[in-house]
Amino acid sequence: MTNERRVLVHPDKQALTGSVAARFLTKTVDILDDLGEANVALTGGTVGIAVLEAVNSSPARDSVDWSKVHFWWGDERFVAKDSEERNERQAREALLDHIAVPPENIHPFPASDEIADIDEAAAVYAAELEAFASDGARHPRFDITFLGVGPDGHIASLFPDRAGIRETEATVIAERDAPKPPPQRLSLTRPVLNASDRIWLVLAGADKASALGLALAGASYTEVPVAGAKGRKRTVFFVDKDAAVDVPENLIAPSY
């Protein structure tokens, strides 16, 4: 399969999240048939969590053997374990607490009340990634990585013109001064994200249109981080009509 970028446009947010959920369930079954296990990196944000809620409410939810799926996160807010701001807590409430996934298959970033030092927390997650890697790699093979996109074009907690988006050696970075609250965050780096077989970017709303248009027009990834998101096999932008207004017509897939 060649590396390609596609944009799939949906009429509204509900259609968007339902479509992504259905495709995720189908693709995960296919991956498990082919490989025997799957590694999925989750994202937070309103739309990212809405996708997980749609997975949970799907009649096909239990067609997946969740015991063979490992869940990771692309980034996390460095706050207390029980904070409502944590991507982990939101994902658990939306989906993970409702499916038969073994606790050891869920790999959250450390919380600030578990490891107080953010650099140590980053090192601990890097070690967790390496522990589940194979063939001398530093992280597992991610089959599907979900990413949201900020109005400024950020992905995970890699922000425009910050050191994190330029990092190429570390697998995990500590962001101390994010331009949106909370300021302290942990994030996978761009090389780790781009080692994923499939990157699925899910975004909705007119405030995302400019960043999406710039990314697809070839903007610098240091200035518009989403421009640098490229999965090994496929990169798919799942968007609603409002977010697609600046997308070149030739990049929009008619259907899937």
Side-chain angles (χ1 to χ4, degrees):
M1 186 183 298
T2 57
N3 186 315
E4 60 176 296
R5 282 181 159 189
R6 293 196 298 160
V7 182
L8 301 178
V9 182
H10 303 76
D12 52 42
K13 179 182 170 183
Q14 183 175 0
L16 168 66
T17 56
S19 173
V20 176
R23 174 173 264 215
F24 172 66
L25 288 165
T26 300
K27 180 57 67 176
T28 302
V29 169
D30 290 344
I31 291 166
L32 293 178
D33 284 346
D34 290 343
L35 302 175
E37 67 172 13
N39 285 280
V40 176
L42 300 177
T43 186
T46 303
V47 179
I49 297 304
V51 168
L52 298 185
E53 291 172 343
V55 172
N56 186 49
S57 62
S58 170
R61 184 193 73 180
D62 296 328
S63 64
V64 174
D65 183 351
W66 296 110
S67 70
K68 297 179 180 178
V69 181
H70 285 256
F71 289 99
W72 305 78
W73 275 264
D75 74 321
E76 184 59 273
R77 290 105 179 232
F78 194 56
V79 292
K81 186 78 170 175
D82 63 353
S83 171
E84 293 182 357
E85 293 188 302
R86 260 182 83 84
N87 294 335
E88 177 202 356
R89 174 172 172 173
Q90 295 173 23
R92 287 183 181 276
E93 292 175 350
L95 175 65
L96 301 183
D97 287 347
H98 308 284
I99 57 177
V101 57
E104 61 269 21
N105 286 18
I106 300 175
H107 306 273
F109 281 94
S112 62
D113 54 347
E114 294 174 322
I115 299 175
D117 182 82
I118 194 171
D119 288 321
E120 182 183 350
V124 165
Y125 205 66
E128 179 85 351
L129 290 168
E130 192 162 357
F132 284 83
S134 59
D135 302 325
R138 299 171 65 199
H139 54 79
R141 179 206 72 251
F142 291 112
D143 300 287
I144 299 173
T145 292
F146 285 100
L147 290 175
V149 180
D152 62 353
H154 81 265
I155 51 174
S157 284
L158 306 176
F159 294 94
D161 300 314
R162 297 292 180 104
I165 188 60
R166 297 181 175 90
E167 177 62 51
T168 59
E169 296 299 323
T171 56
V172 182
I173 58 120
E175 171 59 67
R176 290 180 167 76
D177 189 24
K180 60 180 293 188
Q184 291 196 319
R185 294 156 177 258
L186 296 162
S187 181
L188 302 185
T189 56
R190 179 173 170 263
V192 177
L193 296 173
N194 284 355
S196 307
D197 279 357
R198 301 161 192 84
I199 291 181
W200 289 6
L201 300 108
V202 187
L203 54 158
D207 62 331
K208 309 296 178 68
S210 176
L212 178 58
L214 288 169
L216 295 173
S220 164
Y221 72 81
T222 59
E223 298 175 2
V224 185
V226 62
K230 297 177 182 178
R232 290 177 59 251
K233 292 183 177 180
R234 183 165 291 178
T235 307
V236 184
F237 293 83
F238 299 89
V239 306
D240 70 354
K241 289 175 68 174
D242 290 339
V245 294
D246 293 331
V247 175
E249 192 70 28
N250 65 304
L251 293 180
I252 297 177
S255 62
Y256 68 85

